[in-house]
Amino acid sequence: MCPCHDAPRRSGLTLVELLLAVSIMTVMAGVLGALATAAHQSAAYSHGHGTATQHARVAIERIAGTVSRATATEGYPGAVVLWEEADGWRFPDTLVVWHPSGPAANPAGPPLMNELVIFCPDPDSPHQLVEVTAPADTRPVPLNETLNDDAWRTEFESVARSSTSRKVVLTNLLRAGALDGSSPRAAVRFECRLSPTSSQWASYQAGTASFNNLHWPQGMYGSQTGVRQVWVRVELQLLPEQAAGRADPHGELAIPFFGSASLYYAMHR
């Protein structure tokens, strides 16, 4: 008989081999767990940014469409930005657009309050950008530079708070932060430029400027008529969906979005 048949056979792992196998399995489980966590965080990040991008696209397109279809006259340019100063900072966070649902009640102006569309942060919830209309309010409104006095800014804030106003939430992902313990302010900014400007047009009407020398966009003017441009710029800072409502004082989580719209209308000699 062969002597090799008499050698003892192993029936299992030694303690060292078992500990080594457990260690390898522990490392593999840790690696797989880390990969799963990273994949989950990446998916959440992508979803959050995708949602914020969708919110921004809808809000900016809504604003741009309203501006481009606005009504305007020589004295009332169709869109005005309201701003407020606080702690030495200016906050141009409210856009007012003359956008009647049908023919304007006063074609030559002034517009009525129920013909205006207001885009602003919700006074009661600064993380929300809202579109506000006041269908029952028939007061005339000076839709020009005089709109920026304290009385009218306060009036528009009260319209935005009123239970009789119609309010549409465009996004609830606005970044909001406080300055030196003050109330949170939304990170939204509007800018409106006229070409020719109101001061240039006033100079022409006063006889101190030539009609042909006004700043007509792209030189669009003739012997009796020029085309005025109202250009509105929009800047929003939105938070990813999973960070909505979270404090972000330094803008580390916020995503900036930009948009613009233009309105053109005739000005006559």
Side-chain angles (χ1 to χ4, degrees):
M1 178 178 292
C2 178
C4 63
H5 290 168
D6 296 330
R9 295 183 178 181
R10 296 178 58 183
S11 59
L13 298 174
T14 66
L15 179 60
V16 174
E17 292 172 329
L18 183 60
L19 291 175
L20 181 60
V22 170
S23 299
I24 293 174
M25 292 178 65
T26 301
V27 172
M28 291 180 63
V31 171
L32 292 175
L35 289 175
T37 301
H40 176 74
Q41 292 176 342
S42 177
Y45 177 90
S46 298
H47 177 74
H49 279 60
T51 301
T53 300
Q54 178 70 5
H55 279 226
R57 184 185 67 81
V58 170
I60 291 174
E61 286 186 0
R62 181 99 172 199
I63 295 169
T66 303
V67 170
S68 63
R69 295 188 297 270
T71 298
T73 68
E74 293 179 359
Y76 304 97
V80 170
V81 174
L82 304 186
W83 49 267
E84 182 181 5
E85 285 192 358
D87 298 322
W89 296 87
R90 177 177 288 193
F91 297 92
D93 57 7
T94 300
L95 175 67
V96 182
V97 184
W98 186 7
H99 188 266
S101 57
N106 303 319
L112 306 183
M113 182 69 82
N114 61 8
E115 297 176 324
L116 301 180
V117 180
I118 308 163
F119 297 97
C120 64
D122 190 332
D124 299 317
S125 181
H127 293 285
Q128 295 187 157
L129 177 67
V130 294
E131 175 188 298
V132 182
T133 54
D137 195 336
T138 58
R139 290 174 297 165
V141 180
L143 194 68
N144 48 38
E145 285 83 353
T146 62
L147 198 65
N148 250 315
D149 63 27
D150 291 337
W152 276 109
R153 287 199 303 272
T154 301
E155 190 60 42
F156 275 95
E157 182 174 339
S158 68
V159 169
R161 292 181 185 274
S162 175
S163 60
T164 62
S165 297
R166 293 178 182 172
K167 187 183 298 184
V168 177
V169 177
L170 301 183
T171 179
N172 60 353
L173 302 180
L174 273 180
R175 174 189 170 224
L179 294 174
D180 299 328
S182 60
S183 300
R185 304 295 300 243
V188 53
R189 172 186 173 89
F190 297 105
E191 181 182 0
C192 184
R193 295 181 184 178
L194 306 180
S195 183
T197 65
S198 296
S199 60
Q200 290 170 354
W201 186 250
S203 297
Y204 163 70
Q205 291 181 313
T208 58
S210 167
F211 186 86
N212 294 351
N213 289 334
L214 297 180
H215 292 171
W216 300 109
Q218 301 178 22
M220 294 187 293
Y221 71 92
S223 59
Q224 298 298 321
T225 304
V227 177
R228 188 183 215 179
Q229 180 192 52
V230 181
W231 178 77
V232 175
R233 179 177 181 269
V234 185
E235 177 185 343
L236 306 174
Q237 291 186 26
L238 303 187
L239 294 173
E241 188 177 24
Q242 70 273 20
R246 192 186 305 175
D248 185 27
H250 303 296
E252 296 171 345
L253 302 174
I255 312 167
F257 296 94
F258 305 91
S260 64
S262 294
L263 168 68
Y264 296 87
Y265 63 98
M267 304 278 279
H268 305 284
R269 279 185 183 271

